[in-house]
Structures are given as C-alpha cells and as structure tokens.
C-alpha cells in the first residue's frame, strides 16, 4: 500500500518518532533472531512495542501538535505505522497459538484467516481506497480528535480509546497496514506447506537420528547459516520441522539448545569438529 503524505514539512514529532523507531526496530530484529518460533517472537515483540508506544503517547501529550496539519500528519501517518506493528504481532501470536496440526487443517486455517482480512477490506472499501489514492479531502474528519461523523464508518474501538490520543479512523488506518503485513505472513505459512516433502515420497524404511539431539540442533544451525536449503530461503523452523519428520525426533525449543551451544566453555561447535576430524581420519585411512 502506498501511503502518500500531503505534508512536506518534517515535524518535531516525526523526528522523535523516527528516532524511537530506530531503537525499537533494532530490538525487534534481535528478538526475532533469538526466538525463531512465531509465538515466541510475537510475544516478546508485543512487550517491546507496548513500551515504545507509551513513550510515543507521552511525548505527544507533552508536546501536542501546533496546528491541524501536524495533528493530521500524526494520526494519519505516524501513529498508524506504530499501531500497525502492534496489531501485526498480536495477530501473529493469535495465529500461532490457534494453529492446528496437520497440513490439511493448517491450509484450511490459513484460508479462514485470509477471508477475515478480505472481509475487513470489504467493510472499509471506501476508506481503503481513500488512503491508497492519497486523498486528503476528509482528513479533517478522519484524523482530527473529536471530529467524527457517524455517517462515515466508525470502528467500535474508537469508542473505547483515549480521546486525547485517538481519532475516528487512525485505528482503521493502522489495521489496513497490519493486514497487508499479516497477509504476507499467512501466504508464507501456506507456501511452507507446498515446499515440504509429501509423506508418500519418504522411504517406508525410516532412518532415525540416534545421536544426541543437541548434535542435530548444532547441525541444523550450521546448515541454516550456510544457506544450504532452498537457496537460503528456508527458515530455521521449516528446516527443523523437516528434520523432525524425516528423522522421527522432536527438537522442542531448539533456540534454547542453541544458547547452550553458544555458552560452551571448551568448544562451541563440538559436533561439527567431530564430524570433520572423523571424515579426515576416514579419508586418510583410505589413502593409506
């Protein structure tokens, strides 16, 4: 979605928001690197964003906009960008928490979530068009506090929001942004189902992983770091699920196991070193 701003002058609030976002974005990136599971990184990200939004709100109330143009800029562009991230991670957490088991069930679940997003777009079709085209003729109604018209679509969340920090449509604006990001996430989840190996193609005679689980996790991270699967597009969770299915093993919270690997005092990549030494020894014996 293209968010075209009619306000060219950069406000002090915009500067504060950009500075705060620079810090917050780094925190969110670190959270996702440390927590590969969506339900984990979403939960941690929500905590970070709630604190950041509280700072944004405090700054806004202490330093209110000087004129209507600044107020519209804040509630049309600045706040929705932040609120969209909060909505996005909350939806991811809900998606992951309620995600069923089994490819068929997951595919149906994804389609249901996509239908919900489409229904929201349908319910706010005119406003969505208004935002996407960069129209600003009704900004004085949509993005000024206390200025709302029941003849325009009014989201019920507005009636429960802090009137000092909300307008009739800033939440809907944020929801539209979040839904586009959420749609990408759900489409990625669907794509994972297609890229996974069908059960019918797996040999009937199973090969089980009998070495310690921590060794497989060490190998998992090494192969992911090397971008060895799908030209580097496969994520850790996808590779872990594949290993679990093929080798009939449950890796559990492999991200915590990776922390243990990093904290080893003697040698971190113990298994990989062992593999290299044993293979070199084998080739040396053949050569002799």
């Amino acid at each position: 979605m293209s968010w075209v701003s009619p306000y060219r002058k950069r406000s002090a609030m915009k500067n504060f928001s950009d500075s705060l976002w620079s810090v917050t974005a780094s925190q969110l990136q670190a959270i996702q690197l440390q927590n590969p599971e969506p339900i984990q990184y979403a939960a941690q990200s929500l905590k970070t964003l709630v604190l950041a939004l509280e700072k944004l709100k405090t700054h806004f109330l202490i330093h209110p906009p000087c004129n209507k143009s600044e107020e519209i800029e804040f509630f049309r562009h600045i706040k929705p960008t932040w609120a969209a991230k909060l909505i996005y991670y909350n939806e991811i957490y809900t998606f992951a928490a309620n995600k069923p088991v089994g490819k068929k069930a997951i595919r149906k679940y994804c389609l249901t979530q996509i239908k919900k997003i489409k229904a929201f777009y349908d319910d706010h079709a005119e406003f969505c068009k208004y935002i996407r085209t960069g129209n600003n003729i009704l900004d004085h109604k949509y993005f000024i506090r206390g200025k709302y018209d029941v003849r325009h679509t009014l989201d019920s969340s507005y009636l429960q929001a802090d009137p000092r920090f909300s307008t009739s449509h800033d939440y809907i604006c944020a929801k539209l942004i979040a839904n586009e990001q959420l749609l990408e996430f759900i489409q990625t989840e669907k794509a994972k189902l297609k890229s996974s190996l069908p059960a019918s193609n797996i040999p009937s005679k199973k090969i089980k992983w009998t070495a310690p689980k921590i060794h497989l996790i060490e190998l998992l991270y090494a192969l992911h770091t090397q971008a060895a699967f799908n030209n580097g597009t496969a994520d850790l969770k996808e590779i872990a699920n594949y290993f679990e299915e093929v080798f009939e093993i449950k890796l559990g919270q492999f991200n915590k196991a990776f922390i243990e690997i990093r904290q080893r005092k003697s040698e971190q990549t113990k298994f990989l070193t062992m593999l290299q030494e044993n293979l070199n020894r084998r080739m040396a014996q053949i050569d002799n």
Side-chain angles (χ1 to χ4, degrees):
M1 185 179 294
S2 178
W3 305 92
V4 183
S5 174
Y7 311 105
R8 296 184 177 181
K9 186 178 179 181
R10 189 176 180 85
S11 66
M13 177 56 70
K14 176 63 175 172
N15 289 332
F16 176 82
S17 174
D18 287 350
S19 177
L20 182 61
W21 177 248
S22 178
V23 175
T24 306
S26 297
Q27 293 173 335
L28 295 177
Q29 186 178 23
I31 288 171
Q32 193 154 352
L33 286 173
Q34 295 169 8
N35 302 276
E37 293 276 5
I39 197 168
Q40 294 173 345
Y41 72 68
Q44 292 297 321
S45 297
L46 283 171
K47 293 178 182 178
T48 299
L49 283 165
V50 166
L51 293 174
L53 266 168
E54 191 60 36
K55 291 179 181 178
L56 185 71
K57 178 180 180 180
T58 300
H59 185 86
F60 177 85
L61 296 178
I62 294 175
H63 306 282
C66 298
N67 50 54
K68 288 184 178 180
S69 293
E70 287 190 4
E71 185 169 354
I72 290 172
E73 178 195 21
F74 180 80
F75 286 110
R76 174 165 176 160
H77 299 282
I78 298 175
K79 184 190 172 187
T81 302
W82 281 91
K85 285 296 181 184
L86 192 68
I87 296 169
Y88 170 69
Y89 283 110
N90 186 58
E91 291 293 337
I92 286 183
Y93 182 86
T94 303
F95 179 94
N98 297 322
K99 184 179 177 181
V101 178
K103 293 181 182 178
K104 188 175 181 180
I106 295 173
R107 187 174 292 108
K108 183 178 179 181
Y109 179 64
C110 288
L111 291 175
T112 300
Q113 302 309 308
I114 291 173
K115 286 180 180 178
K116 288 182 180 179
I117 293 174
K118 185 180 183 301
F120 186 88
Y121 282 131
D122 291 341
D123 290 342
H124 301 88
E126 286 301 318
F127 181 70
C128 183
K129 180 181 178 181
Y130 177 87
I131 292 295
R132 282 178 167 168
T133 57
N135 201 340
N136 65 335
I137 194 171
L138 294 175
D139 280 6
H140 65 288
K141 291 183 178 292
Y142 291 154
F143 303 112
I144 294 290
R145 290 167 294 174
K147 301 287 186 180
Y148 66 90
D149 191 334
V150 294
R151 291 173 297 179
H152 299 291
T153 304
L154 189 64
D155 194 274
S156 60
S157 61
Y158 172 71
L159 303 176
Q160 305 171 35
D162 184 346
R164 301 173 303 163
F165 195 61
S166 302
T167 69
S168 64
H169 282 68
D170 70 81
Y171 173 80
I172 304 175
C173 194
K175 185 75 171 176
L176 291 174
I177 302 172
N179 276 347
E180 289 209 345
Q181 297 169 354
L182 181 62
L183 189 59
E184 290 182 11
F185 173 82
I186 296 174
Q187 296 290 9
T188 300
E189 291 295 304
K190 281 183 61 184
K192 290 178 183 178
L193 298 175
K194 294 180 181 179
S195 63
S196 61
L197 185 66
S200 58
N201 290 342
I202 299 176
S204 57
K205 185 177 180 180
K206 296 286 186 178
I207 297 179
K208 294 185 178 181
W209 182 271
T210 54
K213 184 189 301 183
I214 193 75
H215 288 353
L216 184 57
I217 293 173
E218 184 179 327
L219 182 62
L220 164 69
Y221 273 87
L223 292 171
H224 179 260
T225 303
Q226 190 62 30
F229 298 104
N230 297 346
N231 296 315
T233 61
D235 61 27
L236 277 169
K237 180 60 177 176
E238 185 179 358
I239 300 170
N241 287 341
Y242 186 84
F243 279 11
E244 288 180 331
E245 183 176 355
V246 173
F247 297 127
E248 292 190 338
I249 188 172
K250 292 294 182 183
L251 295 180
Q253 295 183 327
F254 53 86
N255 56 307
K256 290 187 177 181
F258 184 61
I259 294 175
E260 295 178 9
I261 293 173
R262 291 171 53 204
Q263 292 176 341
R264 287 172 178 168
K265 294 183 178 179
S266 56
E267 186 174 10
Q268 291 178 318
T269 57
K270 186 186 301 182
F271 182 58
L272 295 178
T273 301
M274 189 190 310
L275 288 177
Q276 182 181 22
E277 291 176 351
N278 288 338
L279 182 58
N280 285 333
R281 188 178 300 111
R282 180 174 180 173
M283 290 189 293
Q285 290 173 350
I286 294 173
D287 293 338
N288 293 333

